[in-house]
Amino acid sequence: MAEETRIDKYLWAIRVFKTRSDATDACKGGKVRVNGADIKPSKNVRTGDVISVRKGAVTYTYRVIAVIDKRQGAKLVPQYAENITPEEELAK
C-alpha cells in the first residue's frame, strides 16, 4: 500500500467523484482543500490529512485513514476514509 497518492486519484478511489477528471476539475476549481489549504490535483495526500470537498451548497469533510489509488467498492470506503462532515453541513 502506498504512503501517499495524488488527491484527485484518492477522491475518485473513495467515490467522492464519479470520474477522476471530475476530481481533477474540482481541485482546479478551488473546491477541494487539504488541511485547510487550496491545492492542485497533483498534491499528495497522506494518512491523517483532512480533506474538505465543496459540492453544491455542502462542504463534505473526510479524514484519510489509509491511502489508496484504486477505486473501491462503496462498502470498503470506510476502511480508507472517515466522513467527519458536521451535521449542520449535511442538513443543507
Side-chain angles (χ1 to χ4, degrees), residues 14-87:
I14 63 165
R15 299 181 162 268
V16 175
F17 293 100
K18 275 190 174 157
T19 66
R20 182 142 167 232
S21 62
D22 285 350
T24 303
D25 292 344
C27 292
K28 287 180 182 171
K31 292 178 169 44
V32 179
R33 298 171 77 93
V34 175
N35 299 328
D38 286 329
I39 47 92
K40 294 181 177 167
S42 59
K43 163 84 170 132
N44 284 334
V45 289
R46 295 187 168 94
T47 304
D49 283 350
V50 175
I51 302 169
S52 302
V53 180
R54 196 170 74 242
K55 290 176 103 180
V58 182
T59 301
Y60 296 94
T61 311
Y62 302 93
R63 180 176 290 117
V64 179
I65 295 173
V67 176
I68 51 167
D69 59 4
K70 302 277 187 279
R71 190 147 170 106
Q72 299 300 309
K75 288 184 175 138
L76 298 175
V77 167
Q79 296 174 19
Y80 304 102
E82 177 187 4
N83 188 339
I84 54 172
T85 307
E87 283 298 320

